[in-house]
Amino acid sequence: MDLKSVVKKLQQFADPSLAESWDNVGLLVEPTPPHEVKKVMLTNDLTEAVYREACDWNANLIISYHPPIFAPMKKLVQSNWKDRIITGCIENRIAIYSPHTSYDALAGGVNDWLLQAFDISSSKPVTQSVTSAGPYNKKLQLTISSTDRESILKCVSGIENTFTTVNELNKEFCEINILCGSGTIPAILESTQCFCDKIQSTALFDIQKIPKSGYGMGRIGKLTSPISVSEAVERVKKHLGLAHIRLAKGIGCDSISSVAVCAGSGGGLLKNLNVSLYVTGEMSHHDVLHAAQSGVSVILCDHSNTERGFLKVLQESLTKVFQNQVDIQVSKSDKDPLDVV
Ligand SMILES: [Zn+2]
């Protein structure tokens, strides 16, 4: 499958606009076309070990959950491990795509998978995703006499990036509604200036983004029935396939009836939530202390251990998305840099 078609399908699967504004998602390395994608390697982090594995397997595309290019690059040199990977991918014609926080926000994405450690009766995102803004973020509404309708419509019809509708108010008056971006408003007002004595009223509205149900960062889940803290620990270990995790038992927290999860680094998101347990990869000492002293237990698993298991789910999902036309493998070399020793 051509890389362009692959990227289109990946973007349909998880719209890059779901990602956080600070993130760097999407196609990060694009070989010169045509680029046929037959083999896709999935990894959480693109390390040199994963890069070598991808080369040995003749991968044409690496989907790296964490973006291997994040800070702007001023040079690509062989003394830097990240630069070696990027130049290697370019030379070996391996494309790189990173979905990162768009998969965190996705309904059925990384955070929903993490929450599956528990039996949940209901869940919702900690913060809500909204639909992408589209080309129009303003609505300019002109109320005019119906007799001036055609001449005013003629004036605004030539302005690019606008969408105009007319609403009949009664036999005498109508509203002209012009959807546009903020930058287009001066041009619209200028074009209708010669009719200003005929315009009864002018109003400007913000077009609000619409919440996307089930999409957003983190998840809060209500358990079907309360469990002990030790059972919660065992469930997380089993779900993530870990022998050891870290627990800060909340003061007076003896049973868990609700949980908030955040794959990766949860300190920014998991604060003062009305739940019995936080599960995340990492949090600062002071965030953990605050939660535990406030009666909320905290389970820390190390950053990528809360993300990597989703790759197996992703492998199945993308196999369906690409209708078996592309071979998709999860990297065997990818692992969290931290071990408990
Ligand atoms: Zn992460």
Side-chain angles (χ1 to χ4, degrees):
M1 191 179 289
D2 182 63
L3 178 63
K4 281 196 167 45
S5 309
V6 169
V7 169
K8 197 174 169 192
K9 282 184 183 290
L10 288 172
Q11 291 182 340
Q12 284 166 349
F13 177 72
D15 191 331
S17 72
L18 291 168
E20 296 282 303
S21 55
W22 48 259
D23 211 349
N24 188 41
V25 300
L27 186 62
L28 303 185
V29 169
E30 180 183 15
T32 49
H35 187 66
E36 185 75 7
V37 177
K38 290 179 183 165
K39 290 183 172 184
V40 177
M41 180 155 283
L42 307 181
T43 188
N44 211 84
D45 291 294
L46 182 47
T47 58
E48 287 195 284
V50 174
Y51 162 70
R52 280 192 297 272
E53 187 187 350
C55 286
D56 290 346
W57 186 55
N58 295 318
N60 316 105
L61 167 66
I62 296 172
I63 298 180
S64 176
Y65 168 74
H66 285 144
I69 300 175
F70 194 79
M73 292 171 136
K74 287 192 172 179
K75 55 187 174 183
L76 288 166
V77 291
Q78 293 303 303
S79 54
N80 180 301
W81 70 275
K82 283 192 176 184
D83 296 6
R84 285 197 295 274
I85 293 170
I86 301 304
T87 50
C89 284
I90 293 167
E91 286 168 4
N92 288 290
R93 297 187 57 77
I94 303 173
I96 303 174
Y97 186 92
S98 178
H100 202 203
T101 51
S102 64
Y103 281 6
D104 294 354
L106 192 66
V110 184
N111 283 304
D112 280 318
W113 165 79
L114 186 55
L115 194 60
Q116 283 171 10
F118 305 95
D119 295 327
I120 297 295
S121 59
S122 64
S123 72
K124 61 177 183 181
V126 177
T127 60
Q128 180 73 57
S129 291
V130 290
T131 51
S132 57
Y136 313 121
N137 60 6
K138 300 283 179 193
K139 182 175 89 169
L140 190 68
Q141 188 176 75
L142 309 175
T143 307
I144 56 162
S145 164
S146 296
T147 51
D148 299 319
R149 173 183 162 153
E150 291 312 314
S151 38
I152 291 181
L153 278 177
K154 207 173 169 186
C155 283
V156 298
S157 65
I159 301 170
E160 281 185 6
N161 302 319
T162 58
F163 182 79
T164 303
T165 55
V166 180
N167 182 24
E168 305 279 357
L169 295 175
N170 50 43
K171 279 184 181 166
E172 278 183 80
F173 293 101
C174 65
E175 277 171 359
I176 295 184
N177 293 300
I178 306 162
L179 301 183
C180 58
S182 320
T184 319
I185 292 167
I188 298 169
L189 294 176
E190 201 176 311
S191 72
T192 56
Q193 209 170 21
C194 52
F195 294 98
C196 61
D197 55 328
K198 292 176 179 171
I199 294 171
Q200 307 295 316
S201 73
T202 305
L204 183 63
F205 301 91
D206 283 327
I207 294 177
Q208 301 291 325
K209 294 177 185 177
I210 299 165
K212 268 175 90 80
S213 177
Y215 287 69
M217 294 302 163
R219 292 292 183 273
I220 294 174
K222 201 170 159 34
L223 272 61
T224 49
S225 56
I227 57 174
S228 65
V229 174
S230 56
E231 188 180 342
V233 166
E234 290 310 313
R235 279 173 169 265
V236 173
K237 278 184 182 177
K238 191 176 172 209
H239 187 55
L240 302 186
L242 298 173
H244 304 284
I245 56 180
R246 289 189 291 164
L247 168 71
K249 191 169 174 300
I251 302 278
C253 177
D254 295 317
S255 79
I256 306 295
S257 55
S258 54
V259 57
V261 304
C262 178
S265 183
L269 195 70
L270 305 179
K271 272 199 179 95
N272 303 322
L273 300 174
N274 186 24
V275 294
S276 342
L277 173 68
Y278 295 157
V279 178
T280 185
E282 57 178 322
M283 270 173 105
S284 76
H285 164 77
H286 294 287
D287 287 340
V288 174
L289 186 68
H290 176 67
Q293 290 293 312
S294 307
V296 180
S297 293
V298 179
I299 288 176
L300 299 183
C301 313
D302 286 331
H303 188 114
S304 69
N305 289 336
T306 55
E307 303 164 337
R308 185 168 292 100
F310 177 69
L311 296 179
K312 283 274 175 206
V313 179
L314 184 65
Q315 182 185 23
E316 285 179 27
S317 305
L318 292 184
T319 299
K320 283 181 199 152
V321 165
F322 295 124
Q323 298 170 321
N324 289 307
Q325 292 176 56
V326 174
D327 190 359
I328 302 167
Q329 291 290 326
V330 177
S331 166
K332 294 179 181 71
S333 322
D334 176 43
K335 63 187 279 290
D336 196 275
L338 282 172
D339 274 324
V340 178
V341 293

